[in-house]
Amino acid sequence: MELLTSFQQKNREAIRLLLQRYAARQKPVLLKGELWDQFEAFCETRDGEQLKGSPLEKLVSQTQEVALSRSWVYFAMRPQTARWQYARIHTETMQLEYVCVSEYLRFKESLVHSEGPEDGWALEIDLGPFERTFPRLQESRSIGRGVEFLNRRLCSQLFHELRRGDKRLLDFLRLHQCQGVQLMLNDRIHTVEELRAALRRTDDYLASQPQDAPWKVVQHDMRILGFEPGWGKTVARKRDTLSLLSDILEAPEPGNLERFLGRIPMIFSVVILSPHGYFGQANVLGLPDTGGQVVYILDQVRALEREMQQRLEEQGLEIQPRILVVTRLIPDAGDTTCNQRDETILGTENARILRVPFRDDQGATVNHWVSRFDIYPYLEQFALDVKREVLAELGGRPDLIIGNYTDGNLVATLLARSLNVTQCNIAHALEKNKYPLSELYWKEAEAQYHFSCQYTADLIAMNSADFIITSTYQEIAGTEDSVGQYESYSSFTMPGLYRVVNGIDVFDPKFNIVSPGVDPDVYFSYSDASRRIRSQTEQLAQLVYDSPPGQDRIGVLRDRHKPLLFTMARLDSVKNITGLVEWYGRSPALQQQANLLVVAGHIDPAHSNDAEEGSQIAAMHELIRKYQLESKLRWLGMLLPKALAGEIYRFVADGGGVFVQPARFEAFGLTVIEAMASGLPTFATRFGGPLEIIKDGVSGFHIDPNHGDKAAERLAAFLQQAHRESGKCWREVSANALQRVRDHYTWKLYAERMMTLSRVYGFWKYVTNLERDETRRYLDMFYGLLLRKRSQGILHQRGKHPPADVMGTTPRASFG
């Protein structure tokens, strides 16, 4: 600060000119990219050259956004990952001073909300005071490793309490039952000392028994000693599990505790919530609000069922786990199965999709599809209906509830609170990062997007969850240069509604990184010839090269010997397919090296009922005409069957092509790991999950969608090098991509971690005060006084009556 102040005094005029340059943009808020580009351009001038390498350059490099008025320039700085500072400079005096987050947000509000009170008063949301005594991570590098931290911190607490004879561990072990059968411990053991003694006697007894003997051989004597089924399938497994518990009682150690909890049979049924879009197993992908989340959940379910079955079997229990994916029933479902109440999930033994309809305020079923932005008025009643249906289906409450996306996480919150069940949240994508400054200008977008409901629901669900799963670190806390999706909820303002000064704390140990995988039966290496089906390859060759243009395909590739530059995604502005086409059109070098293959959306805008997709379709046609790409680009406006969707990556790899994912932002990037799992070198956006999935220059390449010409240069250079070296560098990247996926991105690894986390957080929730009751009561008020009213307002905007108070005849402060 002192160094910067001294620099200011010597360079007042240069700084004044820089601030004027920012003001000339005529925007109240400038974001990091524009801010830095203007700074670099100014430093190239005679007036600004002295700012190079200066303390001011460091300040600007750390700044995520700047808010400007005629008299003041406010800086929101992020000197380290997930750590923020705020400062302001007066445009006349050049005086620099630090301000608090509340003052910074108040100033931003004043720039866009002239109707606000003169004193800047606003409803402030501050959850910070509730977390003062709760264990919290301190280092940025530890973010996303919450369960490790929690185990380390609380093991010593558990040890101290056990020395005092605390019974909570005993009560926890006696808690477990399934289908009326008592598991783990019975009532013959009353104290920790009795448990220690029983462990010693039982180990002596089991040492004399055949080590491969099952429960039925030793059950009589073990029950007399105080033990019930669940310790292991064989005597050897039982002894190992009992030994882990004995070590924990002697001196709790995080690793042993996690291994022990991972063996406890406590997860027999799981409810997974995904209300929006069309959730089905066929003919749904590409429909509005329906994409990668459906694929994720279906693959997740198959992996979780296998893991649950394996763990129960290893613990000696002949119990079939159950998984219910609960979604919305849509009577007007077209040629999908979304109008069926019940659907078995293919590839599972006992997992099903359960569909529950939305109901209006008269109790009538809502027949039509409702956009994910418009569904908030229906979610509370939906949660009550889901509760009734789930209890009936399972014959009791589930052992774990997993929410997906904003709407599913909100319903998970309502349901978990009511049933007192461990709650896991998975965001997949948070809209706030997709729409820069959307919170600041929420009123302008409210009629279409209802961000006031969405961001409020996010805050409530995030803070209510027992644990949160993210696919990558950056999803939580971003990078050195970019803000994480969850981090963006730490502080923000929605002028005229509320101001968040402490919303979500990314240092909270509830965050855990558990990356998804891909279906290994569909996505495997192009070199695995024994698994490939020749007819699929021939069908793709026909689609890409031979079939004439028509309703769902356009372009004819003149030179079929060139490798393919391949991309596949929804056709929306965030996925940036049109951006890639423009990069290709502007780059003669890239056109010389490769043809472009696009699988996305529809060819005819009349076939789309999505306005954003329609505009992207029109842009695609205009770009093809503008750059005369009819003989260099093939556009397939169709949804490929799953088998062909896997084979197309291998088909492109056969010809030495590459996959490109050009999104402006990508929360994770399932297509990225699909391509890598197929051995196809991949170029993907540096904004979002691909930044972590790919090791740049080793297992793939990062590209900046804001600098498409440079991305095109990198693509052309790689393909040219591969051609010169007879594919050597191509094969190296391919092999590294395959290894990267095997090591980090498989559904087996995902399921193992998810099942362990659910047990660990369930345990700590039971034996300590992880309920955070004060926080949740605050959130109850937030929900009742704000979100419910905003949700009802959506129906008012459409000329409908708001729903009845389904939680009771009078306003209530509690979800459950």
Side-chain angles (χ1 to χ4, degrees):
M1 180 73 170
E2 292 180 3
L3 188 62
L4 180 58
T5 302
S6 174
F7 177 81
Q8 284 176 254
Q9 300 304 320
K10 299 176 182 177
N11 299 274
R12 291 168 59 92
E13 187 58 28
I15 296 173
R16 190 191 311 279
L17 291 172
L18 173 65
L19 298 183
Q20 288 178 357
R21 190 183 186 98
Y22 288 150
R25 306 301 293 174
Q26 296 185 333
K27 298 178 182 179
V29 178
L30 296 180
L31 298 180
K32 184 178 180 68
E34 187 174 10
L35 182 73
W36 183 251
D37 288 346
Q38 290 297 315
F39 181 82
E40 285 191 312
F42 181 65
C43 288
E44 296 302 318
T45 68
R46 181 180 299 177
D47 292 326
E49 58 186 3
Q50 66 264 44
L51 299 186
K52 285 184 179 179
S54 70
L56 185 66
E57 180 182 62
K58 183 177 180 181
L59 182 149
V60 174
S61 70
Q62 295 174 349
T63 300
Q64 292 297 318
E65 64 178 34
V66 159
L68 309 96
S69 70
R70 180 175 298 179
S71 301
W72 291 99
V73 178
Y74 279 66
F75 295 82
M77 298 171 292
R78 190 170 173 267
Q80 295 177 332
T81 301
R83 302 183 192 278
W84 291 78
Q85 294 176 342
Y86 304 91
R88 65 180 184 178
I89 295 178
H90 195 276
T91 56
E92 293 298 327
T93 66
M94 291 290 108
Q95 180 67 36
L96 174 72
E97 59 186 15
Y98 285 117
V99 297
C100 65
V101 59
S102 184
E103 165 61 18
Y104 174 73
L105 295 176
R106 183 206 62 76
F107 179 74
K108 281 177 67 177
E109 292 163 11
S110 70
L111 300 177
V112 300
H113 185 53
S114 58
E115 306 87 42
E118 292 183 5
D119 61 3
W121 189 93
L123 172 63
E124 284 199 348
I125 308 301
D126 186 357
L127 294 166
F130 297 110
E131 309 298 329
R132 285 174 181 162
T133 61
F134 194 81
R136 182 179 182 273
L137 301 166
Q138 297 299 316
E139 302 299 329
S140 298
R141 66 177 181 273
S142 299
I143 292 171
R145 295 160 52 192
V147 75
E148 301 171 31
F149 168 81
L150 204 59
N151 275 344
R152 288 196 304 270
R153 284 291 300 267
L154 297 182
C155 267
S156 58
Q157 176 183 334
L158 176 64
F159 176 69
H160 175 71
E161 291 173 345
L162 285 172
R163 289 179 65 89
R164 298 202 318 263
D166 190 86
K167 290 184 58 180
R168 280 181 289 178
L169 177 60
L170 292 179
D171 293 339
F172 179 76
L173 291 175
R174 275 199 293 262
L175 180 70
H176 306 296
Q177 296 182 353
C178 185
Q179 300 172 0
V181 177
Q182 179 63 39
L183 303 174
M184 303 306 286
L185 292 183
N186 58 40
D187 58 6
R188 292 176 180 267
I189 298 174
H190 302 92
T191 67
V192 172
E193 289 306 316
E194 288 178 356
L195 177 59
R196 291 178 189 271
L199 287 170
R200 290 191 288 268
R201 290 195 298 270
T202 304
D203 187 61
D204 290 341
Y205 164 69
L206 292 177
S208 67
Q209 302 299 310
Q211 295 303 289
D212 60 351
W215 167 256
K216 63 182 180 181
V217 174
V218 297
Q219 63 177 329
H220 176 74
D221 293 299
M222 284 196 69
R223 279 186 166 131
I224 291 175
L225 290 166
F227 297 95
E228 294 293 332
W231 293 92
K233 183 177 182 179
T234 64
V235 165
R237 177 78 173 187
K238 290 177 176 64
R239 291 187 69 193
D240 190 51
T241 306
L242 291 166
S243 176
L244 283 172
L245 177 56
S246 182
D247 290 343
I248 291 167
L249 293 175
E250 185 68 22
E253 188 273 321
N256 281 344
L257 181 63
E258 185 171 310
R259 285 190 290 275
F260 175 70
L261 293 175
R263 296 186 181 189
I264 293 180
M266 55 188 287
I267 307 294
F268 305 100
S269 61
V270 177
V271 168
I272 299 174
L273 291 153
S274 182
H276 78 259
Y278 292 81
F279 196 100
Q281 299 178 86
N283 303 324
V284 297
L285 296 182
L287 293 176
D289 294 343
T290 309
Q293 182 175 315
V294 174
V295 177
Y296 178 112
I297 294 173
L298 291 173
D299 286 344
Q300 173 199 51
V301 166
R302 297 181 185 103
L304 287 179
E305 185 187 66
R306 287 192 292 269
E307 183 67 20
M308 292 166 72
Q309 288 171 335
Q310 179 182 328
R311 293 199 184 203
L312 290 173
E313 181 183 357
E314 288 175 346
Q315 295 312 107
L317 299 175
E318 297 180 359
I319 297 171
Q320 182 62 248
R322 301 186 64 185
I323 301 177
L324 289 179
V325 177
V326 182
T327 186
R328 183 198 160 199
L329 185 141
I330 308 174
D332 298 339
D335 62 350
T336 75
T337 57
C338 296
N339 55 1
Q340 296 179 13
R341 177 185 180 275
D342 192 288
E343 184 179 351
T344 299
I345 295 178
L346 301 176
T348 70
E349 296 181 25
N350 203 21
R352 295 172 18 241
I353 300 170
L354 175 65
R355 298 186 178 92
V356 179
F358 285 170
R359 290 196 282 135
D360 64 20
D361 57 326
Q362 303 301 314
T365 295
V366 177
N367 292 320
H368 55 276
W369 167 82
V370 178
S371 163
R372 73 184 188 274
F373 296 111
D374 295 335
I375 65 176
Y376 295 97
Y378 305 103
L379 293 182
E380 189 176 292
Q381 180 62 55
F382 179 73
L384 293 174
D385 293 341
V386 166
K387 175 182 176 181
R388 182 177 62 254
E389 296 270 3
V390 164
L391 291 176
E393 288 289 326
L394 298 178
R397 65 182 186 175
D399 302 302
L400 174 67
I401 293 174
I402 302 174
N404 293 274
Y405 192 70
T406 299
D407 47 74
N409 288 330
L410 181 63
V411 176
T413 297
L414 299 172
L415 200 59
R417 286 293 305 274
S418 179
L419 296 176
N420 191 28
V421 173
T422 301
Q423 174 190 349
C424 168
N425 282 4
I426 305 174
H428 296 280
L430 294 166
E431 299 289 344
K432 198 151 85 66
N433 282 57
K434 292 183 182 179
Y435 301 91
L437 299 178
S438 55
E439 73 280 10
L440 193 63
Y441 296 101
W442 68 275
K443 286 187 176 181
E444 288 84 343
E446 187 70 356
Q448 180 177 359
Y449 293 110
H450 306 295
F451 288 138
S452 67
C453 290
Q454 188 159 32
Y455 299 164
T456 304
D458 282 333
L459 277 175
I460 291 170
M462 289 173 189
N463 285 284
S464 298
D466 294 298
F467 67 105
I468 294 173
I469 293 299
T470 73
S471 299
T472 59
Y473 176 95
Q474 61 78 34
E475 189 177 337
I476 311 170
T479 66
E480 289 184 2
D481 300 320
S482 62
V483 179
Q485 291 188 66
Y486 282 95
E487 184 187 1
S488 71
Y489 283 80
S490 60
S491 61
F492 64 95
T493 181
M494 302 184 78
L497 189 62
Y498 57 75
R499 178 189 304 155
V500 178
V501 295
N502 278 297
I504 188 69
D505 183 2
V506 298
F507 290 91
D508 193 305
K510 70 171 60 181
F511 287 101
N512 292 272
I513 301 167
V514 186
S515 299
V518 292
D519 187 339
D521 295 327
V522 176
Y523 303 100
F524 54 87
S525 174
Y526 74 98
S527 63
D528 193 349
S530 63
R531 299 176 65 188
R532 297 181 66 176
I533 300 173
R534 184 177 179 83
S535 61
Q536 292 179 349
T537 308
E538 293 172 348
Q539 185 179 353
L540 283 169
Q542 176 75 16
L543 270 176
V544 174
Y545 292 112
D546 298 326
S547 60
Q551 262 195 341
D552 57 2
R553 64 205 72 179
I554 193 171
V556 176
L557 300 178
R558 181 184 303 158
D559 186 352
R560 61 189 300 165
H561 298 293
K562 286 182 182 179
L564 291 169
L565 202 66
F566 170 49
T567 191
M568 180 166 59
R570 293 193 313 274
L571 201 54
D572 63 34
S573 59
V574 175
K575 294 298 184 183
N576 198 32
I577 301 298
T578 52
L580 172 60
V581 174
E582 182 143 22
W583 308 344
Y584 181 78
R586 291 202 306 254
S587 174
L590 190 53
Q591 292 177 40
Q592 184 179 358
Q593 293 295 327
N595 291 318
L596 179 57
L597 172 62
V598 176
V599 179
H602 298 277
I603 302 296
D604 186 347
H607 293 159
S608 174
N609 60 358
D610 183 277
E612 184 175 356
E613 184 183 43
S615 68
Q616 291 292 301
I617 293 170
M620 285 285 287
H621 286 289
E622 175 58 29
L623 289 168
I624 293 169
R625 285 192 296 270
K626 177 180 178 180
Y627 295 107
Q628 300 179 356
L629 299 177
E630 291 84 355
S631 63
K632 301 175 182 179
L633 177 147
R634 178 70 159 179
W635 175 16
L636 302 177
M638 61 180 67
L639 182 68
L640 296 177
K642 190 172 184 180
L644 282 184
E647 181 63 19
I648 196 168
Y649 294 109
R650 295 185 286 272
F651 177 81
V652 174
D654 289 338
V658 299
F659 180 73
V660 186
Q661 203 269 32
R664 292 191 176 93
F665 177 83
E666 183 61 57
F668 178 64
L670 277 176
T671 56
V672 172
I673 56 174
E674 288 171 1
M676 293 171 67
S678 306
L680 184 59
T682 299
F683 289 70
T685 180
R686 64 185 296 272
F687 297 114
L691 189 66
E692 290 178 46
I693 296 172
I694 291 173
K695 286 192 172 181
D696 188 43
V698 179
S699 56
F701 303 91
H702 298 147
I703 55 177
D704 186 340
N706 298 313
H707 298 280
D709 291 341
K710 290 182 180 179
E713 288 176 12
R714 195 171 197 194
L715 281 159
F718 174 76
L719 290 168
Q720 187 176 37
Q721 182 182 2
H723 178 74
R724 283 200 310 265
E725 298 177 352
S726 300
K728 179 184 176 183
C729 65
W730 189 100
R731 289 190 297 273
E732 288 177 353
V733 173
S734 172
N736 291 337
L738 287 164
Q739 191 61 49
R740 179 75 174 165
V741 171
R742 282 194 292 266
D743 290 345
H744 299 282
Y745 302 103
T746 70
W747 282 114
K748 180 172 174 55
L749 292 172
Y750 176 98
E752 289 173 353
R753 197 61 184 152
M754 176 67 89
M755 284 294 97
T756 296
L757 289 172
S758 61
R759 287 161 168 80
V760 172
Y761 280 93
F763 170 71
W764 289 121
K765 180 177 179 177
Y766 183 84
V767 300
T768 68
N769 183 27
L770 292 194
E771 292 285 352
R772 311 191 195 194
D773 286 336
E774 296 87 353
T775 303
R776 295 190 179 184
R777 295 303 294 174
Y778 185 90
L779 295 173
D780 286 349
M781 179 183 67
F782 195 27
Y783 176 87
L785 296 181
L786 202 150
L787 181 56
R788 295 183 85 242
K789 293 183 182 298
R790 299 300 310 180
S791 298
Q792 292 170 1
I794 293 176
L795 294 182
H796 277 304
Q797 291 174 14
R798 284 158 176 73
K800 300 177 182 179
H801 296 293
D805 184 353
V806 295
M807 299 293 280
T809 56
T810 58
R812 296 173 60 176
S814 174
F815 293 143

